[in-house]
Amino acid sequence: MSDIPSTCMTSRQADAKPCCGDSDLALLYKALGHPARIDILHVLADCDHACCGEIVSRLSLAQSTVSQHLNVLKCAGLIGCEAKGRCCRYFIRRDAVRDFASLSRSLVEMLQTPGSNESNLSVDRPAVPDDDREAEISRKETP
């Protein structure tokens, strides 16, 4: 599955992942970008913690598919995992959810405030191309 970050190697690394910047926020949104992962989070929110087999029994997905989605959520830091006998118990990391909510609120506030991010812009062209530029682009694309 292409959504699994190559940097996520162990559950310990994923469990310790801090959530603090723009790249983390993008990773979190990407992890939440699949309906099956949202369904998994609903299951975990309902039962506090569950092993993969319990999650599979509540969803209409194959065990391997659920495992891959769990790994994406774990690598993003949204869920944690603890070994309990032969089973890994997955749970929502409430601290990561709070961090995600805070980062999302900050992003929304920044987007709603005109000029709030002007100092971070490094592009010297207009955000929306003018009519002449659009016409030039379409002429280049037409054979």
Side-chain angles (χ1 to χ4, degrees):
M1 204 168 161
S2 63
D3 288 340
I4 300 172
S6 61
T7 56
C8 183
M9 298 298 172
T10 68
S11 61
R12 240 185 226 148
Q13 288 171 330
D15 291 344
K17 181 177 183 4
C19 176
C20 58
D22 290 343
S23 61
D24 290 322
L25 186 58
L27 177 65
L28 291 168
Y29 277 115
K30 185 174 183 178
L32 294 172
H34 195 289
R37 295 186 204 126
I38 301 295
D39 291 342
I40 289 169
L41 291 173
H42 281 289
V43 170
L44 292 175
D46 286 346
C47 62
D48 193 41
H49 61 274
C51 68
C52 185
E54 293 168 331
I55 297 168
V56 168
S57 70
R58 298 202 34 202
L59 303 175
S60 58
L61 298 170
Q63 186 275 331
S64 60
T65 302
V66 170
S67 291
Q68 288 176 336
H69 287 301
L70 285 168
N71 193 40
V72 172
L73 291 168
K74 188 172 65 169
C75 288
L78 290 170
I79 65 172
C81 178
E82 66 179 16
K84 192 89 163 179
R86 292 181 55 194
C87 180
C88 288
R89 308 290 288 175
Y90 294 93
F91 57 91
I92 294 175
R93 293 190 56 227
R94 307 287 178 201
D95 60 328
V97 172
R98 279 190 298 276
D99 290 347
F100 172 67
S102 176
L103 286 169
S104 293
R105 273 191 302 278
S106 295
L107 175 63
V108 168
E109 289 169 8
M110 186 268 304
L111 294 173
Q112 290 177 335
T113 307
S116 65
N117 204 31
E118 284 181 4
S119 62
N120 293 334
L121 295 177
S122 60
V123 180
D124 292 332
R125 66 177 190 269
V128 179
D130 62 326
D131 291 338
D132 293 336
R133 186 160 180 244
E134 286 180 19
E136 180 183 333
I137 291 170
S138 62
R139 276 194 302 271
K140 287 180 182 177
E141 292 173 355
T142 307

